[in-house]
Amino acid sequence: MRLDLDVLNPEQREAVEHPGGPLLVLAGAGTGKTRVITYRIAHLMAQQGIQGDRILGITFTNKAAREMRNRLQRMYPDLDPMPVLSTFHGFGLALIRQEHRSCGLRSRFPIYDDSDVRSVLTEIVRHLAGMSQAEARVDDVKGVISRWKSQFLAPERALEASADSFEELCARAFLRYRDRMKGLNAVDFDDLIQLPVLLLEQDEEARKRWSGRYDHLLIDEYQDTNSAQFRLARALVGEQQNLCVVGDDDQSIYRFRGAEVEKILSFRKDFPAAHVVTLERNYRSVGSILEAAHAVISRNPNRHPKKLISQRGPGSPIPFLICDGEMEEASEVVRSIHEARRSGLPLSKQAVLLRSAIQARPFEEKLRFYEIPYTIIGGMSFFDRREVRDVVAYLRCVVFPTDDIALLRILNTPRRGFGGVARERIDEQARSSGRGVQEVLKDPQVLEKISALSRKGARQLVDALDTARAQLAIDGRKALCQLLEDVKYDDQLKEIAGTDPMELESRRSVIDGLLDSISHYESKHGPGNLQEWLRNITLEPRDDGSEEQGEVLTLMTFHGAKGLEFPLVHLVGVEEGLIPHRRALAEDGDAGEEEERRLMYVAMTRAMDHLIISMARQRRRYGKDLECEESRFVLDIPQEHLVRREIQEQERPVLEGSSARERLQQMRERLGEVDSNES
């Protein structure tokens, strides 16, 4: 294996060639982080003779893991064995599957996503505190339990430490939730980290077995780790402490998901022998953008000192548009977008970034008005659609016969006589007898206690599931299609769609897309092995299809833009109360402001050539027009890097009928929407 390191700058090369021991690479935005990780892995194999499967690389998304794997394959097409590249949760799943007995699980276990967990907890909270509390507080209870699990706090200890009635409710729900999940032989996302950590920390043989598998551990986006992930990494690192972490504390923006910026800030404390390399040469943005961004982030007191240096020239000052109102702001931003498009910059190379998705409304109105195609990143996921969740639940019932949550979801979908009373009776019988719901539905004594209509529906459902299970290994897609036909699921689609034939066809096409996904998987992995497909779609971040949208403008939140770049970026609504967000300041004080400052920095450094910042002097909130002030972060930017422009409201007469249509046509022509041949 040969490796050309001349393509690296001196700091990148220093990180790549580090001989061993703990290494912290502080990689600022646009400094070639992925290249460093990829080249370091390649260097370990090419120069140090480390076998690929002795190297473990951890990323935070499957997309990042795929990108790293693809880069290595381009460098070494015949590379074998390939390094192990995975997310934290993916690695945790692999460990649990091999150590399932030690983790207290049977071999075939489903992974419950947020919706499944919510369903389990809704039932538990309803039993503890009634339906009204379940509907009102289940998400809060779910969040508290997740936090306790990430802190490795046992439910018994949580109950002892309860400070008020709500914490007591959460602790009691946690106790039942733990037992319920054990009975279901299921795990949630938190378990994918917690169970491996507990095993490796409590079982010395297991720790030696797993830490002995890998000579080097590399972690990407280290600023996004939490205590549980840190403990997993520490348990996997052997005595040589060959741990390389790459990240940027200035881009730690996921505190609300449990990320702890303290982990990257305290790396040298956790590993005193650590070597630190700082990457400051930025290959993405022009100098004026980096200077402005540094002016914002440098005011954070808790950060590693660093300043990005542009390799692309000085750039031009940043326009700051001060608009009379939110509609004026939207009009000016859309006008600017179209001007850039007419000048040769495709819509796909532009983005509008918002602190909160709720700010999108006026921009959507203007974009629709001028017929400019756009996509919103963060809208409803394909896998979150009602009909998709139903069909996936049916498949889970076939693959995992003891998956009661999936079964209860489709028990009366479509309607087959199971009202609330019958459903509760079946669920209670399953719990009290220690059997799965499917097994209970086959018990004649239980069926005698429900209505004739419910009995008939139960028998038809169980027969359909059994038939599909028998056919699954032959052709998974065909088995699922037949199951949906047997249970008359199309009746459910007709009920959802009502009298709208387009809605019905749309939902049918969504199911066709899901079936196509199964066909594609089976063509690669053989028929019937759909438990792995189910796990993949549960672990994989939801794909909104934005990468295949083609020539469209992207609207997304500051958080959603992390890791992306665009030649032209509009930061809109840059006002006090929005950025920094009033809730962050109220709930987290100084720490909240620091996180918001990092969020502003991330948003600014998405821009490559041009950054335009805007605000509205007046914004409508809670039914009232409220005065707005420019964000304190704008005030931090030196005036030589900022050009202020006042955008005044233009008085326009109200137009009706043909006059309105003529004005619309004129405006579209001025924006170039109408081709001269059609004028």
Side-chain angles (χ1 to χ4, degrees), residues 452-463:
L453 181 60
S454 298
R455 275 199 304 275
K456 179 181 177 183
R459 288 170 180 149
Q460 290 176 342
L461 175 60
V462 168
D463 288 343

Side-chain angles (χ1 to χ4, degrees), residues 293-304:
H294 180 73
V296 172
I297 197 62
S298 62
R299 290 182 176 268
N300 263 0
N302 301 305
R303 60 184 294 267
H304 287 292

Side-chain angles (χ1 to χ4, degrees), residues 183-194:
L184 292 167
N185 190 48
V187 297
D188 61 24
F189 274 22
D190 294 323
D191 292 325
L192 298 182
I193 305 297
Q194 186 189 46

Side-chain angles (χ1 to χ4, degrees), residues 68-79 82:
M68 203 176 300
R69 187 178 296 108
N70 291 338
R71 288 195 183 199
L72 285 168
Q73 288 175 335
R74 286 196 297 270
M75 294 169 69
Y76 304 111
D78 300 322
L79 181 59
M82 173 68 69

Side-chain angles (χ1 to χ4, degrees), residues 415-567:
R415 300 181 189 276
R416 52 176 66 92
F418 279 92
V421 174
R423 183 179 180 277
E424 288 185 20
R425 188 168 293 167
I426 293 293
D427 191 21
E428 183 59 36
Q429 182 64 36
R431 294 189 196 186
S432 62
S433 63
R435 295 179 293 172
V437 174
Q438 283 197 53
E439 187 177 350
V440 168
L441 290 177
K442 298 178 181 180
D443 188 338
Q445 293 182 352
V446 175
L447 294 182
E448 286 301 319
K449 298 177 183 178
I450 59 178
S451 69
L453 181 60
S454 298
R455 275 199 304 275
K456 179 181 177 183
R459 288 170 180 149
Q460 290 176 342
L461 175 60
V462 168
D463 288 343
L465 292 173
D466 287 343
T467 300
R469 195 171 294 117
Q471 296 296 317
L472 191 67
I474 302 172
D475 188 331
R477 176 191 169 122
K478 186 176 180 180
L480 183 56
C481 284
Q482 187 61 51
L483 172 60
L484 296 177
E485 184 175 333
D486 289 345
V487 300
K488 297 181 172 57
Y489 184 73
D490 199 58
D491 290 348
Q492 174 73 7
L493 297 182
K494 292 174 182 176
E495 181 177 334
I496 297 172
T499 58
D500 187 347
M502 297 295 291
E503 177 73 2
L504 177 60
E505 286 308 309
S506 173
R507 292 185 182 272
R508 283 172 172 167
S509 67
V510 166
I511 292 178
D512 288 340
L514 186 70
L515 294 169
D516 288 342
S517 174
I518 292 174
S519 292
H520 180 72
Y521 182 85
E522 288 188 307
S523 69
K524 288 189 172 184
H525 302 278
N529 187 27
L530 294 182
Q531 61 176 344
E532 198 64 29
W533 180 83
L534 285 168
R535 285 175 176 148
N536 288 345
I537 67 167
T538 305
L539 282 174
E540 186 75 7
R542 304 313 195 195
D543 180 10
D544 53 26
S546 61
E547 294 185 359
E548 301 178 1
Q549 289 289 333
E551 178 53 17
V552 297
L553 175 73
T554 298
L555 277 70
M556 63 173 62
T557 63
F558 287 9
H559 284 100
K562 176 76 164 57
L564 303 178
E565 61 184 27
F566 301 89

Side-chain angles (χ1 to χ4, degrees), residues 62 66 93 111-114 116 189 381-385 387-396 399-400 480 513-518 521 529-543:
N62 289 298
R66 283 195 298 269
L93 173 61
I111 305 168
Y112 280 14
D113 63 13
D114 285 345
D116 301 321
F189 274 22
S381 156
F382 175 85
F383 289 98
D384 285 333
R385 294 181 64 99
E387 59 272 24
V388 172
R389 285 196 168 277
D390 286 344
V391 174
V392 169
Y394 270 106
L395 182 57
R396 279 170 46 177
V399 175
F400 304 112
L480 183 56
L514 186 70
L515 294 169
D516 288 342
S517 174
I518 292 174
Y521 182 85
N529 187 27
L530 294 182
Q531 61 176 344
E532 198 64 29
W533 180 83
L534 285 168
R535 285 175 176 148
N536 288 345
I537 67 167
T538 305
L539 282 174
E540 186 75 7
R542 304 313 195 195
D543 180 10

Side-chain angles (χ1 to χ4, degrees), residues 579-590:
I579 180 72
H581 200 281
R582 62 183 67 83
R583 182 178 299 172
L585 299 179
E587 294 180 356
D588 297 317
D590 291 342

